[in-house]
Amino acid sequence: MIAIFEQVFILIIFCLAGYVLSKVKLVDPSHSKTLSVLLTYVFLPCVSFNTFSAQFTPAYLLDKGPLILVSTGLISVVVLVAKLINRFLTKEPYEKAVNEYSMSMANIAYMGYPLAEGVFGSAVLLDCMMFALPMTIYIGTVGFNMLTAGKEKKSLLKKIFTPSLIGILIGCAVGISGIKLPDVIYEISQKAGACMAPASMLITGMTISCFSIKELLKNKTVYVICAVRLLLAPLLVFGLLKLFGLEFALTAGVVLYAMPCGMNTIVYPQLVGKDCRLGAATVLVSTALSMLTIPLCLYFLLL
């Protein structure tokens, strides 16, 4: 429990640092865009490449390939539950989209991956990335359209083939083929990948600093969303995997679904000039509460 709490605490501290630095005007919140570019195009792809190139083998694919099918099935169930709950929360179309996304899709890359590696090691991180492939595609396609109301035009290929997925595919090719690249390439990618967790949480803190915390905390619906996201979702995933005897997917499933609300409820609406206060509120409250709920979920459901 202490080890898990320490890893969550480290991430929260970086988030708090980004918030404080922005509030005291040492950094401009707009600087988070630069960090986002680095995170999207450098740090996260390097983590993906490192993980898959080192451990993705034909034997692993045969053993853990079903993670993708299991994850696809779970997405369908979790999204359906989110839609049912959402019927009682609001009738406004944009709010319905934010609520549904927040309840069903977690912060898998920015918080889930660093936490999985910090608590369980690189082998579990690889499982999490395999498990997250359908989630990543869902976020980039269905999620993107939901939160932008279809106003932001982006080709299907660009939605699916993100820099992270390209890093995964290159890593898969290297891992499967057994090609030995120069050591300097691995060292560069490892050093870049080490920046992912601090950068992602600094961005979270800087983004939240743009809003009034007092105002964000007033929305009672946010607490229902966070309860679903942080407690119901991981419990539902745990129960389904246990019920159908899919224990091989248990760690990856619970870890990723126990994460707080994803930041795309802020990022995507900003692209089309939407009010993203509701998304910011879910990110703020769920990230803060996750400091307690993540250790509890991982400890009691996995350890």
Side-chain angles (χ1 to χ4, degrees):
M1 175 73 83
I2 293 174
I4 297 170
F5 179 83
E6 285 177 348
Q7 292 300 317
V8 177
F9 182 72
I10 289 170
L11 294 176
I12 296 297
I13 286 297
F14 279 112
C15 179
L16 184 61
Y19 178 85
V20 172
L21 289 172
S22 180
K23 278 296 185 183
V24 300
K25 311 297 184 184
L26 287 176
V27 297
D28 190 304
S30 63
H31 294 164
S32 64
K33 183 175 182 180
T34 301
L35 279 176
S36 295
V37 171
L38 289 171
L39 190 67
T40 302
Y41 289 93
V42 181
F43 303 152
L44 186 52
C46 283
V47 170
S48 303
F49 170 77
N50 292 338
T51 305
F52 278 83
S53 64
Q55 303 178 68
F56 191 80
T57 62
Y60 176 85
L61 181 59
L62 289 173
D63 185 36
K64 295 296 180 73
L67 281 171
I68 297 175
L69 296 177
V70 173
S71 178
T72 302
L74 286 174
I75 289 174
S76 303
V77 175
V78 173
V79 168
L80 177 60
V81 171
K83 285 181 180 292
L84 293 174
I85 295 173
N86 205 17
R87 294 178 62 184
F88 302 97
L89 299 180
T90 183
K91 293 184 178 180
E92 201 281 318
Y94 173 65
E95 290 183 2
K96 286 176 74 73
V98 174
N99 292 349
E100 181 184 322
Y101 184 95
S102 298
M103 287 187 283
S104 54
M105 291 294 115
N107 190 342
I108 56 175
Y110 292 174
M111 196 164 179
Y113 294 167
L115 191 67
E117 185 175 29
V119 176
F120 297 102
S122 59
V124 171
L125 174 60
L126 178 61
D127 288 353
C128 285
M129 287 186 167
M130 282 284 287
F131 186 92
L133 284 175
M135 302 167 76
T136 302
I137 293 172
Y138 181 92
I139 290 169
T141 53
V142 178
F144 184 84
N145 288 334
M146 285 170 53
L147 297 175
T148 62
K151 293 181 180 179
E152 180 72 11
K153 300 303 179 183
K154 196 175 182 181
S155 71
L156 181 61
L157 285 178
K158 286 185 177 180
K159 292 177 184 177
I160 295 176
F161 287 95
T162 62
S164 176
L165 181 57
I166 292 172
I168 288 174
L169 294 176
I170 295 174
C172 287
V174 172
I176 289 273
S177 65
I179 295 173
K180 178 65 176 176
L181 299 176
D183 290 340
V184 66
I185 293 178
Y186 294 108
E187 186 173 355
I188 290 171
S189 62
Q190 287 167 4
K191 289 184 182 300
C195 299
M196 185 184 74
S200 64
M201 298 314 293
L202 285 169
I203 291 169
T204 303
M206 292 167 67
T207 302
I208 292 173
S209 73
C210 298
F211 305 92
S212 166
I213 289 183
K214 185 177 180 180
E215 182 182 352
L216 296 181
L217 296 178
K218 286 181 179 179
N219 192 334
K220 296 179 181 178
T221 301
V222 169
Y223 298 94
V224 177
I225 293 170
C226 291
V228 175
R229 169 74 266 127
L230 297 172
L231 297 174
L232 180 60
L235 286 172
L236 177 62
V237 167
F238 175 83
L240 289 172
L241 292 177
K242 278 287 189 179
L243 178 64
F244 291 100
L246 301 170
E247 280 84 358
F248 71 93
L250 203 58
T251 301
V254 171
V255 167
L256 294 184
Y257 275 99
M259 293 302 109
C261 300
M263 286 181 59
N264 285 327
T265 52
I266 300 173
V267 176
Y268 288 166
Q270 283 182 332
L271 295 174
V272 293
K274 290 277 189 179
D275 184 351
C276 53
R277 279 178 293 181
L278 177 57
T282 62
V283 171
L284 169 65
V285 175
S286 65
T287 301
L289 292 177
S290 70
M291 193 169 182
L292 174 64
T293 60
I294 290 174
L296 289 175
C297 284
L298 300 193
Y299 183 80
F300 287 106
L301 297 182
L302 296 180
L303 303 180

